[in-house]
Amino acid sequence: MNKVLEMRGIIKQFPRVLANDQIDFDLNYGEIHALVGENGSGKSTLMNILYGLYQSDGGEILVRGNPVQITEPRVAIDLKIGMVFQHFMLVEPLTVAENIVLGSELRKGPFLDYKQAVADVERLSKEYGLKIDPHAKISDLSVGLQQRVEILKALYRGAEILILDEPTAVLTPQEVDDLIEVLKTLRAKGTSIVFITHKIREVLAVSDRVTVLRRGKKVGTKATKDTNEQDLAEMMVGRVVLLRVNKEPAQPGSDVLEVKNLSVKDPFGNLRVNGVDLTVRSGEVLGIAGVEGNGQSELVEAIAGLQRAEQGTISLNGVDITNWSPLKIREAGFGLVPEDRHRRGLVLDYSVADNLILGLHGKTPFVHHVGLRHEAAIQANAEHLVEEYDIRPSLPHQLAKRLSGGNQQKVVVAREFTQNPKLLICAQPTRGVDIGAIEFIHQQVIKQRDQGAAVLLVSAELDEVLSLSDRVAVMYNGKIVSIMSAEEVTEHKLGYLMLGGRLEDYQGEGGNGHEN
Amino acid sequence: MKTKLKAFPWQEVLIPIVAVFLALLVGSGFILLVGENPLMAYSVLFRESLGSTKNIATTLQRATPLIFTGLAVAFAFRGGLFNIGAEGQLYIGAFAAAWVGFTFDLPRLIHLPLAVFAGMVGGALWGAIPGYLKAKLGVHEVINTIMLNFIALFLTDWLATGPFHGGTWVPETARIKSTAALARLYPPTRLNTGIYLALVAALVAYLILWKTKRGYELRAVGLNPTAAEYGGINVARNTVIAMALSGALAGLAGTEQILGLHNRFILRFSPDLGFMGIAVALLGKNHPVGVVFAAVLFGALQSGSAAMDRLTAVPRELITIIQALIIFFVAAEYLIRKMLRLKEEA
């Protein structure tokens, strides 16, 4: 018996969907098993069942050969199963050591035995080669280090089976490299790891085996060495997928967006954008790479008129639009795919049809001159766009909140793109969107570019920036630190710049030992 | 969903109905406590509120102001605002209507519409104040509407006992001219043409909310103000407009009470009609059609309660309990969904 875990015929029925349809999954001792699939394919559900957060409606679970009933996370922890969630569950004002022992802390009388906690963390940290300062406050740590704390927390509780739910979604490329090293170390120490992701390249870099789910069903399990990128993408999506965007070289025209010395403050008075200069020409895609929170959001919002520019100017086709109202900026030929579609891009309780006119709702043909809605035009517009952008289900009166993330994003994209704006900003256009929809959205972005739009792309996904952009800028700490043409860029160079490195000091790849 | 009849929201309708049923069920426990037969008491209640044309007329008369205040609260709510100030807007509207009614001598065709219009404008201005404070200064409308209730109350107290006192020993203004009065429809009941006004108001509220650009903007602001802003919608302006229109509806409630019932402004005439509007809106799921039905139900409970009090040992306060229970069960929507095994609306 070399299986530490076996899940057989797991079924989970949610009110509207069969999330897991007779899924088999197993894990060998000391292996990294990648669990992949698009959003909504049921991978998180399956692991939440294993961790006791959901109860399955059928099937059985064997841990170390024994059938078990995992009714709650406590049971899972007792079975030496640990889980690291996408959203960390750390107490920010507390120290690393305090967080790690939290819930199973040793006491000295009524007090926490802090010295012992620190000693335990140091021992664990040494044993697994996970460097961390036990006295550091969580709020002072980078996301990558916070994740390391989560892993240590699971190990402290004796986890031999470690589940990582999309661990790389929040990391920079360098941090991803570090995590992969950590996982390999853990594997060498005998920990069995389930690695949930939808990024194929990580699967290939780290896993021993890979299981693909699609729409709640298991597509198959393969040894990683027997598969490749294209093969996995097809298994995930169920059809042949274009992994690279097909595009011609850009034919840039005149300057459309000109940002000069722009500074933006957040509501608390902190300077988030600090003297940015930027130009985007018609017919090109300028990509902005950067770790989130370095001022990209504020830059975009200021251009859109949604946040005040403290200083500097923004002009669109030579017209100064600085601090205009969002409506006037739109009418000047501006479209925006906002980074957070739930916060900005959609009224979730509105129908698809009504969402498809947000921002255009006051214009002909959607309104008669007395201010009455033109229902027929709204309906016709929706039917047309639902078809053209393949929004599913193709029901214009469906509420937007009933759509999957990918289809919600298509609603936003359809609305913004069909106006053929002169300036189009796409902020995180494929966040939380599955591969099939990503492919489609990328093609649409290039189509807009080829029709002469100036496209500003802001994305935390380096792949996306690299495959779409004609020029790439890196934003760090409120400033544009570098603008390069697409040919000069490598992922590694970008990662270096994104973390605040200077181009002059860049040593090239291989400097820190892990490239792929 | 609202634009398509085929997607009729059955669940939205079912839950209030179940809530009413449960309230009556629990209420029957209280009736048993006072030693009466619940079926008996409820049949009296039913007969006395809906059992004859006269009783129906009384029920509708009771429902009329509740339709207005219910619409007022629902309208603001659709714009993302909690208007607890319908009571104050009602008093200001009522006084404005009364003032036009007793001050001017005009032909009926001008006088009545003018008085109604004055009532609307009075309420609208009183509603616009907290709307403006919210839009410009970010002051929460709940605080401001509550405070403005007191100001409206004491302001009209002073107006009706001071500068516009009617000269009798009663704290009220002079009578309005007959040219400004709403006609009685079914004497001796006090049902008046205000009911038509209320139904028109419900229709207009519906049309504004779902068939105009303005309504699209108002509801977008109510559902997701950040997305509305992104869509080029002026959130501040729509906040003021929503509160003003809400206030106008509340003002009409006061107008109907003055021009149709009391024919003069009486100090503190409202039996908490503005606050009842919150309950009506809640039961009516903030939809004009729902509000009308909810108001009629509350009207029926009130008009039947007096007879129930008279003819059985059940005190009329039971009706207050039942109204409270209805609100309780509507608020406990989750419980009802579980009972009915309705699928969770994700």
Side-chain angles (χ1 to χ4, degrees), chain B residues 261-346:
Chain B
L261 254 62
H262 307 304
N263 293 130
R264 64 182 76 88
F265 186 93
I266 305 171
L267 221 66
R268 311 209 170 188
F269 66 88
S270 160
D272 284 346
L273 292 168
F275 297 109
M276 291 291 293
I278 299 171
V280 169
L282 191 63
L283 181 62
K285 290 259 157 191
N286 294 306
H287 193 287
V289 177
V291 163
V292 170
F293 281 107
V296 170
L297 175 76
F298 276 52
L301 288 174
Q302 287 173 6
S303 76
S305 66
M308 190 174 69
D309 194 321
R310 205 168 57 240
L311 299 174
T312 72
V314 182
R316 71 172 69 198
E317 281 72 21
L318 175 77
I319 294 308
T320 314
I321 294 178
I322 288 181
Q323 285 174 351
L325 285 169
I326 291 175
I327 298 314
F328 173 82
F329 283 114
V330 171
E333 183 176 322
Y334 178 73
L335 186 86
I336 295 179
R337 281 189 187 282
K338 272 215 130 166
M339 275 175 43
L340 299 176
R341 297 180 195 282
L342 290 177
K343 284 185 183 142
E344 197 62 43
E345 295 290 305

Side-chain angles (χ1 to χ4, degrees), chain A residues 354-430:
Chain A
D354 274 349
N355 271 295
L356 284 168
I357 59 165
L358 183 64
L360 314 167
H361 59 276
K363 286 204 223 163
T364 45
F366 304 124
V367 68
H368 295 295
H369 27 248
V370 286
L372 283 176
R373 280 155 58 88
H374 196 312
E375 298 293 346
I378 293 167
Q379 178 73 15
N381 173 64
E383 277 168 11
H384 164 69
L385 290 179
V386 159
E387 157 118 37
E388 185 179 338
Y389 286 82
D390 191 25
I391 295 162
R392 283 183 233 173
S394 56
L395 304 168
H397 64 269
Q398 180 89 323
L399 294 186
K401 68 177 174 190
R402 302 247 182 279
L403 267 51
S404 70
N407 281 295
Q408 288 177 346
Q409 190 70 353
K410 282 192 208 166
V411 171
V412 178
V413 166
R415 178 184 68 216
E416 299 302 311
F417 284 29
T418 42
Q419 299 167 63
N420 292 320
K422 293 175 194 132
L423 171 64
L424 177 63
I425 297 187
C426 298
Q428 320 293 354
T430 57

Side-chain angles (χ1 to χ4, degrees), chain B residues 85-95 126 145-162 171 265-275:
Chain B
E87 188 78 358
Q89 293 142 20
L90 172 146
Y91 272 106
I92 297 295
F95 193 88
W126 209 250
T145 50
I146 290 176
M147 294 202 295
L148 280 162
N149 280 341
F150 290 109
I151 299 174
L153 213 56
F154 289 110
L155 181 66
T156 53
D157 278 1
W158 171 67
L159 288 170
T161 52
F265 186 93
I266 305 171
L267 221 66
R268 311 209 170 188
F269 66 88
S270 160
D272 284 346
L273 292 168
F275 297 109

Side-chain angles (χ1 to χ4, degrees), chain B:
Chain B
M1 171 166 123
K2 297 293 191 296
T3 54
K4 286 249 167 187
L5 264 180
K6 54 178 140 172
F8 189 79
W10 285 112
Q11 297 196 2
E12 296 292 295
V13 177
L14 195 59
I15 286 163
I17 291 172
V18 174
V20 170
F21 179 75
L22 287 173
L24 292 176
L25 202 69
V26 176
S28 60
F30 289 99
I31 298 176
L32 286 171
L33 278 181
V34 297
E36 277 280 353
N37 178 352
L39 285 177
M40 173 72 183
Y42 284 142
S43 74
V44 170
L45 185 67
F46 184 80
R47 196 181 68 224
E48 293 300 318
S49 58
L50 298 165
S52 70
T53 322
K54 178 172 157 281
N55 292 343
I56 291 175
T58 304
T59 291
L60 290 178
Q61 179 259 313
R62 295 283 197 143
T64 308
L66 295 179
I67 296 177
F68 284 121
T69 54
L71 287 173
V73 175
F75 197 94
F77 193 83
R78 290 287 176 180
L81 299 157
F82 198 10
N83 181 9
I84 308 193
E87 188 78 358
Q89 293 142 20
L90 172 146
Y91 272 106
I92 297 295
F95 193 88
W99 181 76
V100 170
F102 61 69
T103 304
F104 299 104
D105 264 314
L106 292 163
R108 183 174 184 77
L109 218 58
I110 299 172
H111 202 179
L112 177 58
L114 190 68
V116 170
F117 183 71
M120 244 169 83
V121 171
L125 289 177
W126 209 250
I129 297 170
Y132 183 82
L133 290 172
K134 165 130 189 179
K136 290 294 161 190
L137 302 173
V139 197
H140 203 284
E141 75 278 5
V142 166
I143 308 293
N144 278 324
T145 50
I146 290 176
M147 294 202 295
L148 280 162
N149 280 341
F150 290 109
I151 299 174
L153 213 56
F154 289 110
L155 181 66
T156 53
D157 278 1
W158 171 67
L159 288 170
T161 52
F164 296 101
H165 187 220
T168 60
W169 51 271
V170 204
E172 58 184 35
T173 64
R175 281 187 76 87
I176 59 164
K177 308 279 161 48
S178 62
T179 45
L182 289 163
R184 294 278 162 94
L185 287 171
Y186 198 77
T189 75
R190 299 187 294 173
L191 180 66
N192 59 70
T193 46
I195 184 72
Y196 298 141
L197 217 53
L199 294 175
V200 170
L203 179 68
V204 169
Y206 171 79
L207 291 176
I208 290 178
L209 283 172
W210 280 283
K211 298 294 166 193
T212 67
K213 176 197 163 196
R214 173 64 57 209
Y216 179 93
E217 296 200 344
L218 285 175
R219 286 183 301 124
V221 169
L223 291 166
N224 186 349
T226 46
E229 186 188 16
Y230 155 90
I233 294 168
N234 187 329
V235 175
R237 185 194 298 155
N238 278 286
T239 299
V240 178
I241 290 173
M243 277 307 293
L245 290 177
S246 171
L249 288 160
L252 281 173
T255 304
E256 186 270 341
Q257 291 283 291
I258 299 306
L259 304 183
L261 254 62
H262 307 304
N263 293 130
R264 64 182 76 88
F265 186 93
I266 305 171
L267 221 66
R268 311 209 170 188
F269 66 88
S270 160
D272 284 346
L273 292 168
F275 297 109
M276 291 291 293
I278 299 171
V280 169
L282 191 63
L283 181 62
K285 290 259 157 191
N286 294 306
H287 193 287
V289 177
V291 163
V292 170
F293 281 107
V296 170
L297 175 76
F298 276 52
L301 288 174
Q302 287 173 6
S303 76
S305 66
M308 190 174 69
D309 194 321
R310 205 168 57 240
L311 299 174
T312 72
V314 182
R316 71 172 69 198
E317 281 72 21
L318 175 77
I319 294 308
T320 314
I321 294 178
I322 288 181
Q323 285 174 351
L325 285 169
I326 291 175
I327 298 314
F328 173 82
F329 283 114
V330 171
E333 183 176 322
Y334 178 73
L335 186 86
I336 295 179
R337 281 189 187 282
K338 272 215 130 166
M339 275 175 43
L340 299 176
R341 297 180 195 282
L342 290 177
K343 284 185 183 142
E344 197 62 43
E345 295 290 305

